[in-house]
Structures are given as structure tokens and as C-alpha cells.
Amino acid sequence: MTQSEILAAFATAGFCGVEAEGGVVYARVTPQSPEFRAEETEAGWRLVLPWNVTPPAEAMAAWNALMGAARMELHQGEARLVMAFPGPQVLIRWAALAAEAEVHFIRWRRDRRPWEGM
């Protein structure tokens, strides 16, 4: 896929704030959702939803055991949801998974309040 095709696919899917910068395409599933991106790798394009929380290891393992292609991983100590992006056919699933991951990310952040005072 080209960057132009990704921009068009995101717009057609109804995503918000769709824009490209430096070879990366950014968007939001809904206006109030966190920003995710499509980035090109050697293996092809992938979708990435970063979040500034470190999930409990057992929660990440449980997610990855259940969700198949949508993996939760750590990058520089923070969580991110990552899924291959072969084409627009996966965007409905991505939107649902991103919304579900957001619920977990928020809960994990709130669970840290006693230690971090947030």
C-alpha cells in the first residue's frame, strides 16, 4: 500500500484527524480517541496505538494469548497495541481492538495511582 492509499482508507473508514507526516499516517478512531499511526516496516505497514503506561506482565500475556494478530508490546517501557496492516479490510477490527485496548490502558494507569499519585 502507498501512503496515499492509507490516507484514503482511513478517511473511508471514518477515522478522524487523518494526516501524514514523514512517511507515517496518523489518525483517531473517534475524535476523543487517542492518536494511532500507520508506519511502514520491512515486513509491510503496521498499525500502532501507543500509550504511556507499563501494563502488568500477566495482563499483556493474557491479551496476547486471546487477540491473535493484535499484539500488545512494550517499547521503551510503555505499552502499545500493534497489528499488521495489509489493507482496509482490517480497519473495522482495528477500531474495535483499539477501543478495547484503551479501556485496559486507562485501567492500568488508574491502578498505578496509589504508587504514582495520579
Side-chain angles (χ1 to χ4, degrees):
M1 293 188 76
T2 67
Q3 188 173 358
S4 296
E5 291 171 326
I6 292 170
L7 286 163
F10 284 5
T12 300
F15 294 156
C16 306
V18 178
E19 62 184 12
E21 184 178 318
V24 177
V25 180
Y26 298 90
R28 297 175 186 272
V29 174
T30 64
Q32 69 275 15
S33 298
E35 188 173 72
F36 71 92
R37 64 185 180 262
E39 56 188 30
E40 194 169 19
T41 70
E42 291 178 8
W45 288 89
R46 69 180 184 168
L47 302 169
V48 180
L49 172 64
W51 202 275
N52 63 342
V53 67
T54 303
E58 63 277 1
M60 271 186 46
W63 173 280
N64 289 336
L66 292 173
M67 296 302 176
R71 309 291 298 168
M72 199 163 292
E73 60 183 42
L74 288 179
H75 178 71
Q76 298 179 341
E78 295 184 341
R80 63 185 186 178
L81 181 65
V82 179
M83 188 171 91
F85 182 45
Q89 69 276 11
V90 302
L91 291 177
I92 292 172
R93 178 153 171 73
W94 172 256
L97 290 167
E100 186 173 344
E102 183 180 354
V103 170
H104 291 287
F105 293 152
I106 291 169
R107 182 172 41 85
W108 294 332
R109 170 62 69 202
R110 289 180 178 155
D111 287 349
R112 298 185 63 85
R113 282 184 182 158
W115 300 278
E116 297 178 1
M118 293 176 285

